[in-house]
Amino acid sequence: MDKVEREIKSFEVVSGAVVNTISIGREFGGEVVEDIILRDGVFKLFNRKDELITEINLPVVGVKYEYKGGELSA
């Protein structure tokens, strides 16, 4: 079975009574998010210089991935 490559495009987290969407290309903390990596249940946001913007460890409502050949939500 071939391993499917996927990249996180956005995710939604619950902060209090609000659901926030964090996505590639949008600004977060004054910097544009260029990459999102999920490691050990923590989402790490990086800028275009591959510098860590922040880590987010909040309840996740949904994640949108980009797969080779299209997009799916999980």
Side-chain angles (χ1 to χ4, degrees):
M1 181 180 242
D2 292 333
K3 185 174 181 179
V4 175
E5 298 222 4
R6 66 182 183 180
E7 181 178 317
I8 298 172
K9 291 311 230 175
S10 67
F11 63 100
E12 296 177 328
V13 294
V14 177
S15 179
V18 178
V19 175
N20 294 303
T21 300
I22 299 165
S23 60
I24 290 179
R26 292 183 65 190
E27 194 172 291
F28 186 92
E31 297 191 57
V32 176
V33 177
E34 291 292 328
D35 196 13
I36 302 171
I37 296 174
L38 175 61
R39 180 168 289 136
D40 299 326
V42 178
F43 286 90
K44 298 181 181 197
L45 309 181
F46 293 88
N47 64 17
R48 64 185 174 122
K49 297 178 186 176
D50 286 332
E51 298 168 332
L52 181 65
I53 298 171
T54 193
E55 296 181 351
I56 297 177
N57 189 13
L58 294 170
V60 175
V61 176
V63 180
K64 190 173 193 180
Y65 296 95
E66 180 178 350
Y67 292 87
K68 287 185 179 179
E71 288 189 11
L72 295 174
S73 294

